[in-house]
Amino acid sequence: MESSALVRMLSYLCWSGHQCNSLPLAGRAGQLASFKANTLAAAWTGVQRQEVVCKRLDDNSIVQNNYCDPDSKPPENHRACNAEPCPPEWFIGDWLECSKTCDGGMRTRAVLCIRKIGPSEEETLDYSGCLTHRPIEKEPCNNQSCPPQWVALDWSECTPKCGPGFKHRIVLCKSSDLAKTFPAAQCPEESKPPVRIRCSLGRCPPPRWVTGDWGQCSAQCGLGQQMRTVQCLSYTGQASSDCPETVRPPSMQQCESKCDSTPISNTEECKDVNKVAYCPLVLKFKFCSRAYFRQMCCKTCQGH
């Protein structure tokens, strides 16, 4: 009983890798303590280990192993435990990047129902296998409004229709949903798309001669002349000096008006006003078709 009184003191729990305080004991250690088997379970490994420790004889408190006889230490045993399947649980992955940087996007993550079937092995079950509430797999993100942005409309046709020219378009500062138009100052000037670009629809046709309609014949009877306008114009209708003179159309031509064979006046005698050799020359050079000469040489020109 004296030994029991001496060993009935403070007790300390000593685990692997920890230092325990020395106990003030009287007499031989083997008389005061002996090895005992404690059962420690490690459920996640499926193995139960029996640990051998040195305990006091009076109160079963654990002391350092050097208080026990090392020759009496029994071996440590192991046995399988927790053979029943582990309950399934939710595996939740990290959120992926949001689908949009602004104006409301969606982000997703992996959510699986899994069950451990070994220290480093698991299986995936249907969602119904997990009894707790299923975590969400997607959620809204980046709901803040996007800043205004440039929106370019379609290009116009190339102007002019030939040769070097330009295309134009309208560029607006719009909201991200295109519903609102903002002043241009609210969009970054350095990123504004161009509003004009160079273009060409091919080489322009050369200037050409353009003629007007023939005017009225200068003679009311017989031979005369008639005129028309002749202009050198570019493809745009502007006056030009680049038309070749070798192909210039005539601006004047001879014309003939049908003469009336009846006398000028029934009451007036048809006679030659000039008695000299003037009228025979008029007839010879075929000037009778002209009203003036026909009147002066009425008798000579009669019938011609």
Side-chain angles (χ1 to χ4, degrees):
M1 295 302 295
E2 184 177 0
S3 299
S4 300
L6 289 174
V7 298
R8 191 174 293 114
M9 300 177 70
L10 295 173
S11 62
Y12 299 88
L13 181 63
C14 300
W15 297 93
S16 299
H18 290 75
Q19 180 81 25
C20 287
N21 295 330
S22 300
L23 298 177
L25 297 176
R28 293 171 60 98
Q31 299 173 348
L32 301 178
S34 65
F35 283 107
K36 303 292 183 179
N38 284 349
T39 300
L40 300 178
W44 64 271
T45 64
V47 176
Q48 198 172 37
R49 179 168 58 90
Q50 189 180 51
E51 183 183 26
V52 177
V53 296
C54 181
K55 288 188 175 182
R56 289 177 181 272
L57 295 177
D58 55 350
D59 60 1
N60 279 336
S61 61
I62 299 174
V63 296
Q64 293 181 356
N65 288 345
N66 56 7
Y67 286 100
C68 291
D69 184 3
D71 295 333
S72 65
K73 183 178 181 180
E76 293 185 353
N77 297 321
H78 299 81
R79 69 179 180 183
C81 63
N82 291 339
E84 70 277 2
C86 294
E89 58 184 7
W90 294 110
F91 168 80
I92 304 175
D94 295 332
W95 286 110
L96 299 180
E97 187 176 354
C98 190
S99 61
K100 297 174 66 177
T101 58
C102 54
D103 275 353
M106 295 294 294
R107 65 176 184 174
T108 59
R109 64 182 178 181
V111 176
L112 301 174
C113 180
I114 63 172
R115 178 172 57 193
K116 291 183 178 180
I117 57 178
S120 60
E121 188 177 359
E122 58 189 23
E123 63 178 348
T124 303
L125 306 178
D126 291 334
Y127 291 144
S128 58
C130 289
L131 301 180
T132 58
H133 181 70
R134 178 182 171 186
I136 59 172
E137 295 180 89
K138 61 180 181 178
E139 67 178 6
C141 53
N142 292 339
N143 293 321
Q144 71 278 10
S145 298
C146 291
Q149 59 186 0
W150 293 110
V151 175
L153 304 185
D154 294 336
W155 287 106
S156 67
E157 293 184 356
C158 190
T159 304
K161 296 297 183 181
C162 63
F166 290 94
K167 284 183 178 181
H168 299 81
R169 67 178 175 182
I170 297 175
V171 177
L172 302 173
C173 182
K174 304 280 288 186
S175 59
S176 57
D177 59 359
L178 307 182
K180 296 180 180 179
T181 301
F182 297 100
Q186 296 193 25
C187 286
E189 183 65 28
E190 62 273 9
S191 64
K192 183 177 181 179
V195 297
R196 188 179 74 161
I197 58 173
R198 293 185 178 276
C199 60
S200 177
L201 294 179
R203 189 174 181 179
C204 294
R208 62 188 180 93
W209 293 108
V210 178
T211 59
D213 296 331
W214 286 108
Q216 187 177 3
C217 190
S218 61
Q220 295 181 357
C221 176
L223 296 176
Q225 294 177 336
Q226 57 184 168
M227 307 289 290
R228 67 176 178 182
T229 59
V230 177
Q231 294 177 291
C232 178
L233 301 179
S234 67
Y235 76 99
T236 59
Q238 302 296 319
S240 174
S241 59
D242 295 333
C243 296
E245 288 291 333
T246 55
V247 295
R248 174 170 182 159
S251 59
M252 181 181 64
Q253 71 176 4
Q254 193 176 30
C255 58
E256 183 177 4
S257 299
K258 188 176 180 181
C259 295
D260 189 359
S261 59
T262 59
I264 298 176
S265 175
N266 294 330
T267 59
E268 183 179 350
E269 181 181 1
C270 181
K271 60 181 180 179
D272 292 339
V273 177
N274 198 321
K275 299 298 183 180
V276 295
Y278 174 78
C279 287
L281 293 176
V282 170
L283 181 62
K284 179 180 179 180
F285 291 105
K286 298 180 180 181
F287 285 167
C288 288
S289 61
R290 301 187 181 183
Y292 173 77
F293 296 110
R294 188 173 183 84
Q295 183 179 4
M296 298 298 293
C297 302
C298 181
K299 187 174 181 180
T300 301
C301 291
Q302 193 172 17
H304 294 281

